[in-house]
PDB file of all heavy atoms in Angstrom:
ATOM      1  N   ARG A 201      49.883  29.040  -1.862  1.00 98.00           N
ATOM      2  CA  ARG A 201      50.507  28.102  -0.944  1.00 98.00           C
ATOM      3  C   ARG A 201      50.895  26.812  -1.663  1.00 98.00           C
ATOM      4  O   ARG A 201      50.324  26.462  -2.700  1.00 98.00           O
ATOM      5  CB  ARG A 201      49.560  27.776   0.218  1.00 98.00           C
ATOM      6  CG  ARG A 201      49.049  28.987   0.968  1.00 98.00           C
ATOM      7  CD  ARG A 201      48.032  28.600   2.010  1.00 98.00           C
ATOM      8  NE  ARG A 201      48.646  27.924   3.147  1.00 98.00           N
ATOM      9  CZ  ARG A 201      48.998  28.520   4.281  1.00 98.00           C
ATOM     10  NH1 ARG A 201      48.784  29.826   4.445  1.00 98.00           N
ATOM     11  NH2 ARG A 201      49.546  27.844   5.262  1.00 98.00           N
ATOM     12  N   SER A 202      51.846  26.088  -1.067  1.00 98.00           N
ATOM     13  CA  SER A 202      52.246  24.796  -1.616  1.00 98.00           C
ATOM     14  C   SER A 202      52.133  23.702  -0.554  1.00 98.00           C
ATOM     15  O   SER A 202      52.688  22.616  -0.714  1.00 98.00           O
ATOM     16  CB  SER A 202      53.685  24.866  -2.141  1.00 98.00           C
ATOM     17  OG  SER A 202      54.576  25.282  -1.108  1.00 98.00           O
ATOM     18  N   ASP A 203      51.373  23.997   0.526  1.00 98.00           N
ATOM     19  CA  ASP A 203      51.187  23.003   1.585  1.00 98.00           C
ATOM     20  C   ASP A 203      49.830  22.326   1.427  1.00 98.00           C
ATOM     21  O   ASP A 203      49.269  22.281   0.326  1.00 98.00           O
ATOM     22  CB  ASP A 203      51.355  23.652   2.958  1.00 98.00           C
ATOM     23  CG  ASP A 203      50.321  24.750   3.237  1.00 98.00           C
ATOM     24  OD1 ASP A 203      49.480  25.040   2.351  1.00 98.00           O
ATOM     25  OD2 ASP A 203      50.358  25.331   4.351  1.00 98.00           O
ATOM     26  N   ALA A 204      49.287  21.849   2.530  1.00 98.00           N
ATOM     27  CA  ALA A 204      48.009  21.116   2.475  1.00 98.00           C
ATOM     28  C   ALA A 204      46.815  22.007   2.193  1.00 98.00           C
ATOM     29  O   ALA A 204      45.707  21.508   1.977  1.00 98.00           O
ATOM     30  CB  ALA A 204      47.794  20.378   3.790  1.00 98.00           C
ATOM     31  N   TRP A 205      47.017  23.346   2.161  1.00 98.00           N
ATOM     32  CA  TRP A 205      45.912  24.282   1.980  1.00 98.00           C
ATOM     33  C   TRP A 205      45.972  25.007   0.635  1.00 98.00           C
ATOM     34  O   TRP A 205      45.229  25.955   0.410  1.00 98.00           O
ATOM     35  CB  TRP A 205      45.908  25.300   3.111  1.00 98.00           C
ATOM     36  CG  TRP A 205      45.820  24.657   4.457  1.00 98.00           C
ATOM     37  CD1 TRP A 205      46.859  24.361   5.294  1.00 98.00           C
ATOM     38  CD2 TRP A 205      44.639  24.200   5.120  1.00 98.00           C
ATOM     39  NE1 TRP A 205      46.403  23.755   6.440  1.00 98.00           N
ATOM     40  CE2 TRP A 205      45.046  23.644   6.366  1.00 98.00           C
ATOM     41  CE3 TRP A 205      43.285  24.202   4.788  1.00 98.00           C
ATOM     42  CZ2 TRP A 205      44.130  23.102   7.271  1.00 98.00           C
ATOM     43  CZ3 TRP A 205      42.378  23.667   5.695  1.00 98.00           C
ATOM     44  CH2 TRP A 205      42.798  23.123   6.914  1.00 98.00           C
ATOM     45  N   GLY A 206      46.857  24.564  -0.264  1.00 98.00           N
ATOM     46  CA  GLY A 206      46.952  25.224  -1.561  1.00 98.00           C
ATOM     47  C   GLY A 206      47.852  24.459  -2.512  1.00 98.00           C
ATOM     48  O   GLY A 206      48.542  23.507  -2.127  1.00 98.00           O
ATOM     49  N   GLY A 207      47.820  24.875  -3.790  1.00 97.00           N
ATOM     50  CA  GLY A 207      48.657  24.241  -4.792  1.00 97.00           C
ATOM     51  C   GLY A 207      47.907  23.398  -5.796  1.00 97.00           C
ATOM     52  O   GLY A 207      48.383  23.131  -6.896  1.00 97.00           O
ATOM     53  N   SER A 208      46.701  22.956  -5.443  1.00 98.00           N
ATOM     54  CA  SER A 208      45.830  22.227  -6.365  1.00 98.00           C
ATOM     55  C   SER A 208      44.398  22.623  -6.062  1.00 98.00           C
ATOM     56  O   SER A 208      44.113  23.202  -4.998  1.00 98.00           O
ATOM     57  CB  SER A 208      45.992  20.714  -6.187  1.00 98.00           C
ATOM     58  OG  SER A 208      45.508  20.310  -4.909  1.00 98.00           O
ATOM     59  N   VAL A 209      43.492  22.328  -6.953  1.00 98.00           N
ATOM     60  CA  VAL A 209      42.077  22.641  -6.699  1.00 98.00           C
ATOM     61  C   VAL A 209      41.617  21.971  -5.410  1.00 98.00           C
ATOM     62  O   VAL A 209      40.960  22.589  -4.568  1.00 98.00           O
ATOM     63  CB  VAL A 209      41.203  22.203  -7.885  1.00 98.00           C
ATOM     64  CG1 VAL A 209      39.721  22.278  -7.528  1.00 98.00           C
ATOM     65  CG2 VAL A 209      41.496  23.055  -9.110  1.00 98.00           C
ATOM     66  N   GLU A 210      41.983  20.693  -5.247  1.00 98.00           N
ATOM     67  CA  GLU A 210      41.531  19.952  -4.075  1.00 98.00           C
ATOM     68  C   GLU A 210      42.033  20.583  -2.775  1.00 98.00           C
ATOM     69  O   GLU A 210      41.306  20.629  -1.779  1.00 98.00           O
ATOM     70  CB  GLU A 210      42.004  18.494  -4.166  1.00 98.00           C
ATOM     71  CG  GLU A 210      41.304  17.666  -5.216  1.00 98.00           C
ATOM     72  CD  GLU A 210      41.795  17.936  -6.640  1.00 98.00           C
ATOM     73  OE1 GLU A 210      42.822  18.627  -6.825  1.00 98.00           O
ATOM     74  OE2 GLU A 210      41.133  17.446  -7.573  1.00 98.00           O
ATOM     75  N   LYS A 211      43.243  21.083  -2.789  1.00 98.00           N
ATOM     76  CA  LYS A 211      43.789  21.706  -1.575  1.00 98.00           C
ATOM     77  C   LYS A 211      43.246  23.110  -1.362  1.00 98.00           C
ATOM     78  O   LYS A 211      43.055  23.539  -0.216  1.00 98.00           O
ATOM     79  CB  LYS A 211      45.319  21.716  -1.645  1.00 98.00           C
ATOM     80  CG  LYS A 211      45.930  20.316  -1.524  1.00 98.00           C
ATOM     81  CD  LYS A 211      47.448  20.373  -1.629  1.00 98.00           C
ATOM     82  CE  LYS A 211      48.054  18.984  -1.476  1.00 98.00           C
ATOM     83  NZ  LYS A 211      49.531  19.012  -1.611  1.00 98.00           N
ATOM     84  N   ARG A 212      42.984  23.826  -2.440  1.00 98.00           N
ATOM     85  CA  ARG A 212      42.456  25.184  -2.293  1.00 98.00           C
ATOM     86  C   ARG A 212      41.022  25.187  -1.771  1.00 98.00           C
ATOM     87  O   ARG A 212      40.591  26.160  -1.133  1.00 98.00           O
ATOM     88  CB  ARG A 212      42.543  25.958  -3.614  1.00 98.00           C
ATOM     89  CG  ARG A 212      43.960  26.310  -4.027  1.00 98.00           C
ATOM     90  CD  ARG A 212      44.002  27.436  -5.042  1.00 98.00           C
ATOM     91  NE  ARG A 212      43.195  27.204  -6.219  1.00 98.00           N
ATOM     92  CZ  ARG A 212      43.627  26.588  -7.321  1.00 98.00           C
ATOM     93  NH1 ARG A 212      44.864  26.147  -7.414  1.00 98.00           N
ATOM     94  NH2 ARG A 212      42.806  26.428  -8.352  1.00 98.00           N
ATOM     95  N   ILE A 213      40.256  24.138  -2.044  1.00 98.00           N
ATOM     96  CA  ILE A 213      38.871  24.108  -1.564  1.00 98.00           C
ATOM     97  C   ILE A 213      38.781  23.567  -0.133  1.00 98.00           C
ATOM     98  O   ILE A 213      37.717  23.641   0.496  1.00 98.00           O
ATOM     99  CB  ILE A 213      37.948  23.274  -2.478  1.00 98.00           C
ATOM    100  CG1 ILE A 213      38.335  21.795  -2.482  1.00 98.00           C
ATOM    101  CG2 ILE A 213      37.934  23.864  -3.889  1.00 98.00           C
ATOM    102  CD1 ILE A 213      37.409  20.930  -3.320  1.00 98.00           C
ATOM    103  N   ARG A 214      39.890  23.087   0.409  1.00 98.00           N
ATOM    104  CA  ARG A 214      39.845  22.401   1.706  1.00 98.00           C
ATOM    105  C   ARG A 214      39.365  23.316   2.825  1.00 98.00           C
ATOM    106  O   ARG A 214      38.509  22.905   3.637  1.00 98.00           O
ATOM    107  CB  ARG A 214      41.232  21.848   2.039  1.00 98.00           C
ATOM    108  CG  ARG A 214      41.281  21.130   3.378  1.00 98.00           C
ATOM    109  CD  ARG A 214      42.695  20.680   3.735  1.00 98.00           C
ATOM    110  NE  ARG A 214      42.749  20.234   5.117  1.00 98.00           N
ATOM    111  CZ  ARG A 214      43.883  20.002   5.780  1.00 98.00           C
ATOM    112  NH1 ARG A 214      45.056  20.185   5.178  1.00 98.00           N
ATOM    113  NH2 ARG A 214      43.859  19.613   7.049  1.00 98.00           N
ATOM    114  N   PHE A 215      39.879  24.539   2.900  1.00 98.00           N
ATOM    115  CA  PHE A 215      39.499  25.425   3.997  1.00 98.00           C
ATOM    116  C   PHE A 215      38.007  25.710   3.978  1.00 98.00           C
ATOM    117  O   PHE A 215      37.327  25.614   5.013  1.00 98.00           O
ATOM    118  CB  PHE A 215      40.295  26.724   3.907  1.00 98.00           C
ATOM    119  CG  PHE A 215      39.999  27.703   5.009  1.00 98.00           C
ATOM    120  CD1 PHE A 215      40.422  27.471   6.310  1.00 98.00           C
ATOM    121  CD2 PHE A 215      39.290  28.880   4.751  1.00 98.00           C
ATOM    122  CE1 PHE A 215      40.146  28.372   7.335  1.00 98.00           C
ATOM    123  CE2 PHE A 215      39.020  29.795   5.770  1.00 98.00           C
ATOM    124  CZ  PHE A 215      39.441  29.535   7.062  1.00 98.00           C
ATOM    125  N   VAL A 216      37.468  26.041   2.814  1.00 98.00           N
ATOM    126  CA  VAL A 216      36.028  26.328   2.714  1.00 98.00           C
ATOM    127  C   VAL A 216      35.214  25.104   3.099  1.00 98.00           C
ATOM    128  O   VAL A 216      34.233  25.191   3.851  1.00 98.00           O
ATOM    129  CB  VAL A 216      35.671  26.798   1.292  1.00 98.00           C
ATOM    130  CG1 VAL A 216      34.169  27.026   1.163  1.00 98.00           C
ATOM    131  CG2 VAL A 216      36.438  28.066   0.938  1.00 98.00           C
TER     132      VAL A 216
END
Side-chain angles (χ1 to χ4, degrees):
R201 306 175 72 97
S202 57
D203 62 358
W205 303 96
S208 67
V209 169
E210 289 77 11
K211 291 179 179 179
R212 290 199 306 271
I213 65 177
R214 179 184 169 192
F215 181 71
V216 177

